Amino acid sequence: TSSSGNVSGFQFRVQGNGIDKTVTSDSKGKIKVENLQEGTYTVTEILPNDSAYYCTSTNPQTVNVEAGKTSTVTFNNEKKQWRVTVYKEDRESGGAQADATLDGAVYGLYKDSVLVKEYTVKNGTFTTDAYDCGTGYTLKEISAPPGYQLDTTVYNLNDYSAPGKCSG
């Protein structure tokens, strides 16, 4: 199983009774090993090609194979995701100046320069939804709060979302 729904292309090593084979799951997440003798086998998941994006179970499982029957072991892969919390501050004062407010600023979250979603600052902050780990994410202000100039900085979010930096 996989939290992303993708169950194909995962590799497993099947060992026992003189067998040592690596097989790949089909579109239904199943593997088939032909001509196994009855007995006990160990099945280990090998990290998938995009393993940086999955929390992968590396614990081997034992399965007993009987003639004419299907044997089952289950592995679950969780897609790694990230969120970012943004705190809006005035560059000079750290908070809003005079009667101004920082609320209402609108930020765009982009993936490979394509707008994914807009977020509006409320009470000086916002937190993004959860997104699958990957590269190419940026954040930039689309509209400034009243009385403020637009912050034209493009914030690269790869520090949060890239393989090896993204938490599960």
Side-chain angles (χ1 to χ4, degrees), residues 14-36:
V14 180
Q15 297 172 288
N17 297 330
I19 299 289
D20 189 348
K21 289 189 176 184
T22 299
V23 291
T24 303
S25 62
D26 64 15
S27 63
K28 295 180 181 177
K30 296 182 179 189
I31 62 170
K32 185 175 185 176
V33 182
E34 300 284 347
N35 301 317
L36 287 181

Side-chain angles (χ1 to χ4, degrees), residues 11-151:
Q11 291 188 330
F12 298 88
R13 185 175 182 187
V14 180
Q15 297 172 288
N17 297 330
I19 299 289
D20 189 348
K21 289 189 176 184
T22 299
V23 291
T24 303
S25 62
D26 64 15
S27 63
K28 295 180 181 177
K30 296 182 179 189
I31 62 170
K32 185 175 185 176
V33 182
E34 300 284 347
N35 301 317
L36 287 181
Q37 307 255 338
E38 285 189 325
T40 302
Y41 293 85
T42 300
V43 181
T44 306
E45 184 173 14
I46 300 170
L47 294 176
N49 290 341
D50 57 353
S51 62
Y53 303 114
Y54 283 95
C55 296
T56 304
S57 173
T58 56
N59 295 329
Q61 296 187 36
T62 302
V63 62
N64 193 28
V65 173
E66 297 180 38
K69 295 184 177 181
T70 299
S71 299
T72 302
V73 292
T74 301
F75 291 85
N76 184 45
N77 298 97
E78 293 293 324
K79 189 78 168 172
K80 292 180 182 179
Q81 296 188 315
W82 60 273
R83 296 176 193 265
V84 170
T85 298
V86 174
Y87 299 93
K88 179 76 171 162
E89 295 180 344
D90 180 277
R91 188 173 303 172
E92 293 174 12
S93 70
Q97 292 190 20
D99 292 335
T101 179
L102 297 171
D103 291 352
V106 177
Y107 282 80
L109 177 71
Y110 297 83
K111 169 81 169 131
D112 298 326
S113 301
V114 175
L115 180 64
V116 174
K117 187 165 182 180
E118 293 181 6
Y119 293 93
T120 303
V121 174
K122 293 179 184 166
N123 298 319
T125 189
F126 69 87
T127 299
T128 66
D129 296 328
Y131 292 95
D132 291 344
C133 292
T135 57
Y137 288 101
T138 57
L139 185 73
K140 69 178 180 180
E141 191 173 58
I142 296 172
S143 67
Y148 283 92
Q149 293 181 340
L150 185 69
D151 176 2

